[in-house]
Each structure stands twice: as C-alpha cells, then as structure tokens.
C-alpha cells in the first residue's frame, strides 16, 4: 500500500489506472478506523482492481464548537489497518491541499438536509457533499462505499451523484455493531464505561419501535413518543437531539408508516453525540 498526500498525484494515478482498464473503488473516511470502516474496505476489495481509502478530517462539515480539534486521529495506526485489509492506496491530504484559503465552490443538496442531522447541524451536509464531490474528482472511482449508520449522508450523496450525473456507483453498507448492539463509531472512544453500558439501549429502543410497527402501529407520533419515553426511562442523563420517522430516500418526515420508513435518532450521552437508525418498514 502506498500513502499519497497530494491530490494531483492521486488524480494522475487514478486516471492512468482507468486508461489501463482497471477498476477503482473509493472508501471515503475521516480515519480512526474501526471494524465498520474495515468492512467497507473488505466489501469493495472483492469488486475492483484498486482500492483507494481516503483519510481526511474535513473541517467544512464541522460547526464551530463541534469536535473537529479533538477528532481522534492516528495515521500510522490507520495505515497499518488499511494495508492489512488490502487497500492499495491511502490518500491522506493536508487541509491546505484540499481547500484553498479562498475556497468558494460548494455542492449542496438542501432538500434532503432539512431534517435529522441537517436540522441540528445546518452547515454539515454542505461540507460533506463538497468534500465528497472533490474526493470523487480526485480519486476518479468507479464505485464508492458509505456506511448506512449515516443514512441521511448516504441518501444525500446518492442524490448528488444522480443530479450531477457523476459516473460513480454509490454503495451503502449495513451498520456494523458491537455484540451489544452499539453501532460502531470513531466517536465511541469518547464514551465513559457507564455510557458504553447504556449506549446499546439506543438500538434496543429502535427495535422495540419496529416490533410495534410489525404488530400494526402506524402513527409516527405514537412511535416516536414511545421511543422518547423509552430513552428517558432507560438511559438516564441522555438528551435526545432528534427521533424522527422519515422516507428513506427523500428524508421527509412521515406521519404514517405505510410504505418504506426509517426511524433515525441522535442522542447525546455525556459529551458524545451518537446516531443510529433502523428501517422499520421495508
Ligand atoms: O462519513 C464520513 O466519515 C464523512 O462524512 C465523509 C463521507 C468521509 C466525508 O468527510
């Protein structure tokens, strides 16, 4: 595996690979790899000739006061893990190589960013779509893979690719969880031992809601109120950012669960904000 820091160099290599008929996959990440990231590498490793993993903690998707400065980072550790899982190239640019001081071009999908994380983090998805568009233009992948834990991000990226005719196939990967049910996240390192014991109840609550839907409940308000009470009762000290039921593609709020529906939550546990989701009707 080689480590590349210069976007121009990566673009040159990728264009050359493509001209030789080789297929290329991109795994965009912000690093501090866990099994969730590594399973993304495993999945595309089987599909293409060259796997590029990007590691860039993208400043434009963090608002002031969020955890940009403390975001866990260990290039040496990540390089070793990516190499062991068969990545060919680790792209780890400096901020100055990805953004000019007078950067002024943005890619936005505002309609899908109204609810869920877009509501509490209004600038977030503009930063995500802009960096992902830049990564696509730099790495020139045939396919790119994203985890379904950030479901709204995945829906937004799919819409961006569709609307801008980007020649990239976007693949979603199911959430990877600990045996306890806690969705893997680089931010789990912030959790105290007590918080780590409580965090799996986030998924437990979502599963209860799916059971209610399976038994015939279809009122979104009844379902979200039930989940809110469950978290209040069972995860003391937690603070709900949102609990919403949305259309999985359009990310608009649903009043009734009749067709495909996603229940998505964001919960503050101590100083950590955790997100999770479950398709409650397919
Ligand atoms: O999901 C992430 O880690 C980031 O949002 C992404 C897609 C790498 C863009 O910075």
């Amino acid at each position: 595996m080689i480590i590349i820091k210069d976007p121009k160099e990566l673009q040159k290599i990728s264009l050359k690979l493509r001209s030789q008929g080789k297929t290329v996959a991109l795994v965009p990440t912000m690093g501090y790899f866990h099994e969730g990231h590594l399973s993304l590498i495993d999945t595309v490793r089987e599909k293409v000739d060259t796997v590029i993993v990007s590691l860039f903690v993208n400043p434009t998707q963090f608002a002031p006061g969020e955890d940009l400065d403390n975001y866990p980072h260990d290039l040496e550790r990540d390089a070793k893990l990516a190499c062991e899982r068969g990545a060919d190239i680790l792209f780890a640019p400096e901020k100055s190589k990805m953004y000019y001081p007078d950067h002024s071009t943005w890619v936005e999908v505002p309609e899908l960013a109204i609810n869920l994380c877009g509501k509490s983090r209004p600038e977030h998805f503009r930063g995500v779509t802009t960096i992902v568009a830049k990564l696509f233009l730099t790495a020139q992948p045939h396919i790119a893979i994203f985890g379904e834990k950030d479901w709204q991000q995945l829906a937004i990226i799919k819409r961006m690719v569709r609307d801008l005719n980007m020649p990239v196939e976007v693949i979603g990967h199911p959430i990877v969880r600990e045996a306890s049910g806690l969705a893997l996240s680089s931010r789990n390192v912030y959790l105290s031992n007590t918080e780590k014991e409580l965090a799996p109840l986030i998924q437990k609550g979502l599963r209860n809601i799916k059971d209610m839907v399976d038994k015939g409940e279809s009122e979104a308000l009844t379902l979200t109120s039930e989940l809110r009470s469950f978290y209040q009762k069972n995860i003391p000290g937690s603070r709900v950012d949102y609990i919403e039921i949305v259309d999985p593609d359009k990310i608009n709020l649903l009043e009734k669960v009749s067709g495909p529906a996603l229940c998505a939550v964001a919960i503050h546990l101590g100083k950590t904000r955790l997100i999770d989701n479950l398709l409650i009707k397919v």
Side-chain angles (χ1 to χ4, degrees):
M1 189 187 77
I2 54 169
I3 299 182
I4 294 181
K5 296 204 160 222
D6 181 358
K8 288 204 177 86
E9 189 188 344
L10 178 66
Q11 198 177 50
K12 213 163 117 191
I13 292 176
S14 269
L15 287 168
K16 186 158 178 213
L17 287 167
R18 288 181 74 113
S19 73
Q20 292 166 344
K22 302 269 192 253
T23 49
V24 176
L26 175 67
V27 184
T29 81
M30 297 205 299
Y32 215 69
F33 297 155
H34 49 66
E35 206 42 46
H37 298 109
L38 300 174
S39 61
L40 300 180
I41 301 178
D42 293 345
T43 303
V44 292
R45 180 65 287 172
E46 289 176 4
K47 294 180 187 287
V48 295
D49 300 309
T50 303
V51 174
I52 302 172
V53 178
S54 66
L55 192 172
F56 181 63
V57 183
N58 173 38
T60 63
Q61 67 188 75
F62 290 80
E66 289 187 344
D67 57 346
L68 172 63
D69 294 336
N70 305 324
Y71 201 83
H73 191 74
D74 188 340
L75 179 60
E76 213 175 299
R77 167 188 176 275
D78 284 347
K80 187 166 175 286
L81 289 169
C83 179
E84 281 166 7
R85 297 302 264 260
D88 300 293
I89 297 174
L90 182 66
F91 175 54
E94 299 293 332
K95 181 185 159 207
S96 60
K97 292 276 179 189
M98 290 310 277
Y99 289 105
Y100 287 96
D102 59 349
H103 175 91
S104 40
T105 307
W106 299 97
V107 181
E108 280 189 86
V109 187
E111 265 186 40
L112 272 67
I114 296 167
N115 298 309
L116 311 185
C117 291
K119 195 183 272 174
S120 42
R121 305 181 73 194
E123 304 277 290
H124 173 68
F125 287 116
R126 181 179 92 144
V128 170
T129 36
T130 300
I131 194 65
V132 171
K134 284 167 72 66
L135 289 168
F136 284 179
L137 289 165
T138 307
Q140 299 279 323
H142 295 89
I143 63 176
I145 188 162
F146 298 84
E148 289 177 353
K149 182 167 72 68
D150 296 285
W151 186 286
Q152 186 176 20
Q153 165 173 285
L154 177 61
I156 287 177
I157 290 167
K158 282 183 177 163
R159 183 65 68 91
M160 170 185 82
V161 163
R162 187 201 76 176
D163 288 353
L164 296 181
N165 303 94
M166 292 179 169
V168 182
E169 184 194 347
V170 174
I171 306 176
H173 188 282
I175 299 177
V176 180
R177 298 179 182 278
E178 289 188 357
S180 66
L182 172 63
L184 296 189
S185 163
S186 303
R187 291 187 167 105
N188 290 354
V189 294
Y190 302 149
L191 296 170
S192 68
N193 288 341
T194 320
E195 287 161 358
K196 209 151 185 221
E197 273 168 30
L198 293 170
L201 291 165
I202 296 175
Q203 192 217 17
K204 170 94 177 52
L206 286 166
R207 296 182 80 89
N208 292 348
I209 294 308
K210 181 166 182 337
D211 286 347
M212 285 174 72
V213 172
D214 290 346
K215 288 183 185 135
E217 181 58 65
S218 65
E219 287 297 330
L221 192 56
T222 308
L223 294 161
T224 53
S225 306
E226 182 65 31
L227 189 50
R228 196 173 287 272
S229 310
F230 176 87
Y231 289 149
Q232 263 161 9
K233 196 162 146 216
N234 294 288
I235 316 186
S238 66
R239 185 168 59 82
V240 169
D241 178 359
Y242 63 75
I243 297 175
E244 305 282 19
I245 294 178
V246 295
D247 175 288
D249 297 322
K250 301 187 185 120
I251 317 292
N252 58 322
L253 300 185
L254 298 176
E255 283 179 14
K256 276 213 178 286
V257 177
S258 48
L262 179 89
C263 185
V265 301
I267 311 277
H268 291 273
L269 251 185
K271 60 181 168 69
T272 315
R273 181 176 177 277
L274 298 174
I275 57 171
D276 204 343
N277 65 70
L278 189 65
L279 274 173
I280 53 174
K281 201 173 175 93
V282 182

